Every structure is written in C-alpha cells, then in structure tokens.
Amino acid sequence: MKFDARTLLDRVAALNIGRSVERRAPHKPLLLLLAIADIQKQLPRLRSYVDIEERLARALEIFGRPAKHQNPQYPFWRLQNDKVWQVEADAPLRSRQSNSDPPRSELVRKQARGGLLPEHYDILFGNEELQSQLIHQVLDLHFPASMHDEIAAFFDLR
C-alpha cells in the first residue's frame, strides 16, 4: 500500500474516538497534536511513554473531560488501532485482565516508546504545510474553535 499525505489525513479523520454522554473524548487527538509538536521540534519519532506522560496528562486535565484521574496510557496504547501509531518496548507488554491495554506500570517498567508510524512521520517531518493542515484538521474535528489557539499555544504548535 502506498502511504502518502492523503492516507495520513484520511486515517486521522477516521480516528475511533470514545464518547461519553455525546461528548467526544480528546485523548487521541491531543496525543496526535503532541506528536506533531515533537516533529516540529525535530525530536525522535519514538518517544518514551515516561517522557510524554506528564505533558499529555496535563493537556487532558486542561482540554479534556473532567475526571478524577487522567489516563494518558490509554491513547498511547490505543492509537495503534487507528493505523497511525506504533508502540515498542524492551520486552513484551502484559495486558490487563479486563482488556488488551497494558497497565501504566508495564509501559514504564518495560520502557515503552511510541510515535507515529515511520511512513507517516517521514511524510510530516520537514513538511510544514502538511503539519499545519493536519493540526487544523485535528483541531476542527475535535475541539471548539474557541479552544484552538489555547491548544496550539499549549503544545507550542506553529
């Protein structure tokens, strides 16, 4: 299969987003925006879960649904199902009994790293026009316009 900008944009537009009382969960879109911000900073494709956990949890607190505990490990793992993300670890990750997600402790202990699939990262790296297009797509699809500038500023997106 040929991977191009259209494939990436289509996959991001088709993200499987959780819903609660008709309110869309922002977990995966926020993780994608964080990944694009890291590309703009020319950081490596795969980032340690530990390195992004705090920033993603803070974004979820500010821009997500109110919750006692934010769970950044869920989008970090589940975004793989949308065919845009990859997770690697130093050893196989044990799943929870209730679902296929590994617990946070497994991600930390086995030094899990995640990032966009290589073909999507390569398309985005250095392509400011496509980065901008994808940022606006994610913001337009998943957040009210009144939040766009604040989210972009939070992640230091250009």
Side-chain angles (χ1 to χ4, degrees), residues 79-97:
L79 192 55
Q80 294 178 96
N81 297 330
D82 297 287
K83 299 179 183 171
V84 297
W85 190 258
Q86 175 181 12
V87 175
E88 295 180 355
D90 289 348
L93 295 165
R94 179 183 48 82
S95 298
R96 299 174 188 275
Q97 290 181 352

Side-chain angles (χ1 to χ4, degrees), residues 31-102:
L31 179 55
L32 281 173
L33 292 171
L34 185 151
I36 297 166
D38 286 352
I39 288 171
Q40 291 181 340
K41 294 176 182 86
Q42 298 187 348
L43 295 174
R45 180 178 73 83
L46 294 177
R47 301 294 314 281
S48 161
Y49 174 75
V50 172
D51 288 346
I52 68 168
E53 178 184 38
E54 184 177 328
R55 191 165 44 147
L56 183 55
R58 184 70 181 131
L60 289 166
E61 288 172 12
I62 297 169
F63 307 113
R65 299 185 297 211
K68 284 185 182 180
H69 303 284
Q70 298 298 340
N71 294 296
Q73 70 274 16
Y74 293 155
F76 184 85
W77 181 256
R78 294 176 183 172
L79 192 55
Q80 294 178 96
N81 297 330
D82 297 287
K83 299 179 183 171
V84 297
W85 190 258
Q86 175 181 12
V87 175
E88 295 180 355
D90 289 348
L93 295 165
R94 179 183 48 82
S95 298
R96 299 174 188 275
Q97 290 181 352
S98 60
N99 59 42
S100 66
D101 295 15

